[in-house]
Amino acid sequence: MTTRRLEVQSESPVGAPSTRGPRWAIPEWVTAGVLLLIPMLLLTIMRFIPLLREVWMSFTNTKLTNPNGGRYVGLHNYDVLLSGPNLHQVLLNTAKYAIGTTTLALVGGLVAALVINTKFTGRAFARAVLVSPWAVPGVAAGIIWLWMFTDNGIIARTLQATGLPQISWLASPHWAMVSVVVVSAWLSYPVVMLVTLSALQSVPEEITEAARIDGADRIATFRFVTWPHIRPTFVLVGLLVVIWSVKRWEVITVLTGGGPVNSTATIVVATQKQAFSYGQVGMGAAYAVVGILIASCLVGGFYLLQRREAAAMN
Amino acid sequence: MKITLARARRRRWLVYLVVVPMVVVVGFPLYWMVNTALTTQVDLYAKPQSLFPSLAHLGQISHSFGKVPLAGMFSNSTFIATGTAILSVLLGLVSAYALSRFRFRGKGIIGFFLFATQMVPDGMFLIPLYTMFISLGLVNNLWGLVILNATLTLPVSTFVIKAGIDTVPVELDEAARIDNCPRLGILLTVILPLVFPSVVAAAVLAFFEGWGEVMFASTFLSDPGKFPASVELFNLSASPEASTPIIMGAAVLYTSVPIVFFLFIQRRIITGLTAGAVKG
């Protein structure tokens, strides 16, 4: 399989000009343009124009009651954002949420992948259970965990039975963040597990065996043979989890609505709330522009890292 | 020999020591959803919730039919998710074909544009899209959501399918071209059958997105008759008078659709997803 792909790539790089077409053939760029016309048009309408519109709206005092009738107010919204404590807190929340989710999802995913990669009775069942959260829609996850986190819910009961102190999960700012991170990681870790698992299965058995024969123990084999092999994939999936967790809206909204006292309001939650709960559409747009700027920096970072990882893989 | 056997046995215990707690913790929320759906509201508050479901209440899930507009919400969800999957895959297929097989100026820019759109949270565009949808008259319109979801999933569909097309030897296209087969014919008769697994993976990913999406749907739809299951459940979760077992019953039905899909085609999705992620 691998050899076939390599051979194909070396012989004819993707996108190589086909020289043997009929003589009357339409130029390649015309065909490609026709194929890409509708997709690019839609992306422009749904992504690029909204971007311009958003930047414009962030300079207006648009209200929800009259969404297309805002008046230009210059930098007023940004002034308010940058001088108040809210934006600072929202960005901090977003960072906490993304880092917490990613760390938990990566650790959980790696451990799960390593375990599922060994042979044991009941492995198929364990695998099915461990990946199942991936298919659970965010709203459903929110509803389930909301019920588990309630004051007399099953988590509180379990803690009580084991004699641990009671925690009001969703009512204290600190634990509310922990709660949304747990749920978010529960949803995200299966992808880490599955991607890592497929990377693990691509580690040639000969080299791990060779390491074992050379006297390396399990931990050393993992650290010096397996880990370098799966690292590029693992880093990439980690970055994807960061991006996905910043996107998440419904889990936080169902569980805490961004509260208590804004402690779980990430940038997406704050933007939506600002516009559709408080009716301050212009101010919401300013939040979003800040979010887009930060996301763009992350995209740049991701891109550079990916190129480095790709170079490392070759 | 004895030593290795003992070692193997110890290792197996170690595996179970890790895997059993993990399976319990990860699987418990789903179990608890089903268990709660099979209790009555009275039992739920009169005493601590039973750890085991009583099958006597199996019929209760059907009570949801009276309290929650199940038929309407699932047909709306099916419409949105299926429409999203079909449109996203069609557009993804032609984009992937163009990006994989043609040489033209600006290809790198288009690739980067696709990649970059994937990285900015969709929620950041909620506000301008809302005002645009008002202007375009797409508010309260399920087609509007289909087009939006399909566009948002288009980059992923494209990458997943392109990764598949990239592994098909160009020589096959060329052979078909010598036989004077038109480009579209090559895509449909030569390439499509070979990349079908990737197409299925892309379709399922887009379907999941359409099935689960709630932020745009709850913002753009105000007519309750058009609410998909995600919006209906989202509203129920915030409503104080909704009964917990009924909500859980509806959640069980809502979740079972993607779970069943997923268990069937898990491996394909993962292959496609990895390709998409790694190639970016």
Side-chain angles (χ1 to χ4, degrees), chain B residues 25 29 33 45 49 83 91 154 170 176 179 188:
Chain B
V25 169
M33 169 173 72
Y45 287 100
Q49 184 176 354
L91 297 173
L154 172 63
V170 186
D179 295 338
L188 295 180

Side-chain angles (χ1 to χ4, degrees), chain A residues 14 20 28 47 54 157, chain B residues 49 100 103 122 124 174:
Chain A
V14 170
R20 282 174 288 175
E28 286 203 11
R47 285 296 201 177
E54 182 127 73
R157 266 171 64 194
Chain B
Q49 184 176 354
S100 177
R103 211 169 57 158
D122 304 334
M124 299 286 91
E174 286 173 356

Side-chain angles (χ1 to χ4, degrees), chain A residues 14-15 20 28 39 45 47 53-54 68 121 127 134-135 140 144 147 157 186 240 243 247 281 299 302 306, chain B residues 16 26 29 49 95 100 103 115 117-119 122 124-125 127-128 131-132 135 174 255 258 262 266 277-278:
Chain A
V14 170
R20 282 174 288 175
E28 286 203 11
I45 295 173
R47 285 296 201 177
R53 219 177 152 109
E54 182 127 73
N68 279 317
T121 323
R127 188 189 149 109
W134 193 75
I144 300 166
W147 179 241
R157 266 171 64 194
W186 181 71
L240 284 180
I243 289 154
K247 273 187 191 180
V281 177
V299 173
F302 185 95
Q306 200 197 23
Chain B
Y16 285 121
V26 168
Q49 184 176 354
S95 311
S100 177
R103 211 169 57 158
F115 163 77
T117 53
Q118 222 188 331
M119 300 298 153
D122 304 334
M124 299 286 91
F125 295 97
I127 292 169
T131 62
M132 270 174 63
S135 313
E174 286 173 356
T255 309
F262 184 63
Q266 212 197 99
V278 175

